[in-house]
Amino acid sequence: MDRVVTTGEATYGVERSLTGRRWVWTPAEERIGQAIAQRLGVTDLIGRLIASRGVTVERAADFLDPTLRAWLPDPSVLTDMDIAAERLADAVQRGETVAIFGDYDVDGACSGAIMALGLGALGVRTINYVPDRIREGYGPNAVALQALADRGAHLVVCVDCGATAHDALAALEGVADAIVLDHHKLDGPPPRIIATVNPNRLDDRSGLNDVCAATIAFLTLVGTQRVLRRRGFFAARTELDLMALLDLVALATVCDVMPLAGLNRALVTQGLKVMARRARPGIAALLEVAGVVEPPGAMTCGFALGPRINAAGRIDQSDLGLQALLAEEPGIATERARQLDDINRQRQEVEAGLLDEAMRIAEAQFASGAAVAVVSGADWHPGVVGIVAGRIKEAFNRPALVAGISQGRATGSGRSITGIDLGSAIIAAREAGLLIKGGGHAMAAGFTLDAARLGELHDFLCLRLAAATLLPAAPVLAVDGIVAVGNVTEALACEIARLGPFGAGNPEPLFAIPHARIVMADRIGRTGTTIRAYVDGEAGGRLKTILFRAKDEALSGAMLAKGGPPLHLVGHIRAERWNGRVSTSLIVQDAAPA
């Protein structure tokens, strides 16, 4: 790397790039970076980049090689975990039927699969249930719970839901026991059931606030197996292969946008290794329909697997994603994967149909000084409003809520930005009587209210989240360093890759490529929305660059301008293998006139 800058100055003086962003240098403690490099025997580049992520010298080795031995906690640190593990162990030894009530997103599907596979391997008969998004909405409902009890369930385990379902779970009193394994914010006492394992309940001191429900499910099986081991259950049978479930934990952690630090980083790192073996038929089939041939990474989870698993719960059969993950026969797995692929294409069409209108409404709200966008439309599909909210959030760097209105009710989802806690604001709105129901976590939330009160909700959130108005209209782009075109090599790309998996909490490093001239450029791919351009550096060398999701905008136009004025480019340096050949590229994120 040619240079790392530690000041807060704008990168190359870029105050407004072609995408409207200000470039700044990522702060990096030079001394800490050098100490890390010396201790680990890595280059100064790796040392500096690790230091810039807030990792201490003492924890640097565990960051670079994140093992479960170093990061996995004792499950008992979670409130109610020991109670839940004992009750599940009882169910195993008594041969009880256990119902697993899940959610329709990736975390819900993975959590449900983890519990079904784990308990099933222990000899338990399980009933899997995922509510219909349109007819039943999110979380447990009394009718569905009673039906599960009528089918013989003596214990109902709610995964990725249930933390605030007091009334629904009360319907099981005297009929069946209930356990909740959740991670959504809990603002008051938990339901009056056997156990609520949730690191975000008020009396939990585990410190595991940033894990997803799949991790809670995994830790619950760890605790349950420990209880059974103590009781001698495994004297004549094999213990669970818990490590084989880590592919599901990794998938859920990435798709639920949990920070990839500490325990989450270890779970995803090890889980991707399990996923690479493609031993789970459902995931192997999904990778095939998505055209993924290389070893899967965090981006594979977020952009190839996640959207397909989510799609069915959004606009079609709510449990189809879970069915795919649980499929044991390759033929059935392939059939489910193809169904999900088809449904995902339908979801994209539905999303495109309302995105432009939602963007226009949000733009007008932000132009008037609103801190938050609250956008709604008649009969907007509730299955895609969360995705549209995410698009608005990305475009304006502000929290956004999008809702569909049907029969006088507005049901929607919201997405937020780092530092603005949307989940707490939605809970506060519910407590203030504005919402029929609502909840979530810092970065995402769901809600339902009378459509006539949408204006009141907007005013409430703009006041509650007024700090968002102090943020720039577009995200600041934090640049980690400068690299000349001639110095972008496979060796450099491989060094950078050692810091992965990348995602929330551990962003992929961004590098500035100065004074690059476009010498060749074309649109590639089935839809023509990817631009491939070759650039020459001012000191020599040639580099392939790729711009994904390229539309007719300023950045796309600049990348297609062969022989035009030089550009400063910012992007990710990657080495990719295809048909046995290695190609090093800059994945362009932004550009500015040089």
Side-chain angles (χ1 to χ4, degrees), residues 36-256:
I36 289 173
Q38 291 172 3
R39 175 171 290 198
L40 300 185
V42 297
T43 64
D44 286 346
L45 164 64
I46 295 297
R48 289 173 182 139
L49 290 174
I50 292 174
S52 73
R53 279 143 180 76
V55 179
T56 64
V57 177
E58 293 73 23
R59 271 298 199 180
D62 290 333
F63 176 88
L64 205 57
D65 182 22
T67 64
L68 291 180
R69 181 181 296 276
W71 290 105
L72 195 68
D74 183 336
S76 296
V77 300
L78 286 151
T79 300
D80 275 6
M81 175 59 85
D82 289 343
I83 299 171
E86 293 280 353
R87 180 63 184 87
L88 283 164
D90 289 343
V92 171
Q93 292 188 298
R94 294 171 187 165
E96 293 179 310
T97 295
V98 176
I100 301 166
F101 193 108
D103 187 20
Y104 31 64
D105 69 356
V106 176
D107 192 18
C110 290
S111 303
I114 287 167
M115 293 305 297
L117 291 167
L119 293 176
L122 292 171
V124 173
R125 175 179 175 262
T126 61
I127 306 171
N128 302 299
Y129 189 86
V130 181
D132 182 273
R133 182 188 288 265
I134 305 298
R135 291 186 297 100
E136 299 173 89
Y138 168 80
N141 63 82
V143 173
L145 293 176
Q146 182 62 56
L148 292 171
D150 291 343
R151 292 173 61 186
H154 294 144
L155 173 63
V156 177
V157 181
C158 298
V159 292
D160 198 30
C161 61
T164 60
H166 297 261
D167 293 341
L169 290 168
L172 288 176
E173 189 171 350
V175 178
D177 290 337
I179 292 172
V180 164
L181 307 178
D182 202 357
H183 72 129
H184 293 95
K185 284 184 177 293
L186 189 56
D187 55 315
R192 297 180 63 180
I193 56 176
I194 289 288
T196 297
V197 184
N198 183 341
N200 286 303
R201 57 184 281 178
L202 296 177
D203 58 349
D204 187 274
R205 299 292 179 266
S206 67
L208 298 175
N209 309 79
D210 291 328
V211 302
C212 65
T215 295
I216 302 302
F218 178 79
L219 291 174
T220 301
L221 287 181
V222 173
T224 301
Q225 176 147 282
R226 183 170 61 186
V227 172
L228 290 169
R229 185 186 304 122
R230 187 179 67 239
R231 295 181 183 181
F233 180 75
F234 297 110
R237 63 184 297 161
T238 305
E239 293 193 5
L240 286 176
D241 181 6
L242 291 167
M243 296 294 286
L245 299 172
L246 289 178
D247 56 342
L248 299 171
V249 180
L251 176 58
T253 300
V254 172
C255 292
D256 228 40

Side-chain angles (χ1 to χ4, degrees), residues 198-511:
N198 183 341
N200 286 303
R201 57 184 281 178
L202 296 177
D203 58 349
D204 187 274
R205 299 292 179 266
S206 67
L208 298 175
N209 309 79
D210 291 328
V211 302
C212 65
T215 295
I216 302 302
F218 178 79
L219 291 174
T220 301
L221 287 181
V222 173
T224 301
Q225 176 147 282
R226 183 170 61 186
V227 172
L228 290 169
R229 185 186 304 122
R230 187 179 67 239
R231 295 181 183 181
F233 180 75
F234 297 110
R237 63 184 297 161
T238 305
E239 293 193 5
L240 286 176
D241 181 6
L242 291 167
M243 296 294 286
L245 299 172
L246 289 178
D247 56 342
L248 299 171
V249 180
L251 176 58
T253 300
V254 172
C255 292
D256 228 40
V257 201
M258 298 293 104
L260 299 187
L263 173 60
N264 286 337
R265 180 172 167 79
L267 289 168
V268 173
T269 299
Q270 303 307 322
L272 289 175
K273 295 176 183 176
V274 175
M275 192 180 294
R277 298 199 289 265
R278 304 195 181 209
R280 193 173 308 288
I283 287 184
L286 284 166
L287 290 171
E288 184 175 349
V289 299
V292 177
V293 294
E294 68 276 4
M299 288 188 63
T300 310
C301 295
F303 293 96
L305 299 177
R308 288 171 170 82
I309 294 172
N310 265 333
R314 292 187 186 281
I315 66 171
D316 202 275
Q317 186 178 337
S318 60
D319 67 347
L320 195 57
L322 176 62
Q323 286 186 38
L325 295 179
L326 291 177
E328 296 180 354
E329 295 294 329
I332 295 175
T334 297
E335 181 182 348
R336 297 291 177 269
R338 288 174 177 167
Q339 287 178 274
L340 290 170
D341 192 49
D342 289 341
I343 295 167
N344 189 49
R345 290 196 187 93
Q346 297 171 32
R347 186 271 305 168
Q348 290 170 331
E349 293 172 2
V350 172
E351 175 192 334
L354 63 88
L355 180 60
D356 288 345
E357 184 181 354
M359 280 286 189
R360 284 195 297 271
I361 299 171
E363 185 175 15
Q365 291 181 0
F366 289 132
S368 68
V372 181
V374 177
V375 178
S376 61
D379 297 321
W380 284 2
H381 200 294
V384 301
V385 293
I387 299 174
V388 174
R391 298 272 191 259
I392 295 172
K393 178 261 298 185
E394 292 169 3
F396 297 98
N397 198 37
R398 295 283 191 278
L401 295 87
V402 180
I405 299 173
S406 178
Q407 298 180 342
R409 280 196 175 184
T411 300
S413 294
R415 298 293 183 269
S416 194
I417 52 180
T418 302
I420 305 295
D421 189 342
L422 180 59
S424 293
I426 288 294
I427 289 171
R430 190 188 73 217
E431 292 176 338
L434 282 172
L435 304 179
I436 297 169
K437 61 180 179 179
H441 48 76
M443 301 298 285
F447 59 94
T448 300
L449 74 163
D450 290 332
R453 306 196 71 180
L454 279 165
E456 293 178 68
L457 175 64
H458 196 190
D459 291 342
F460 179 91
L461 293 175
C462 283
L463 184 63
R464 175 98 182 184
L465 303 178
T469 60
L470 303 176
L471 298 170
V476 168
L477 201 61
V479 183
D480 292 278
I482 305 167
V483 182
V485 166
N487 291 340
V488 179
T489 63
E490 179 187 348
L492 175 61
C494 290
E495 272 194 282
I496 296 166
R498 294 187 66 189
L499 301 179
F502 300 117
N506 183 39
E508 186 173 1
L510 279 168
F511 296 94

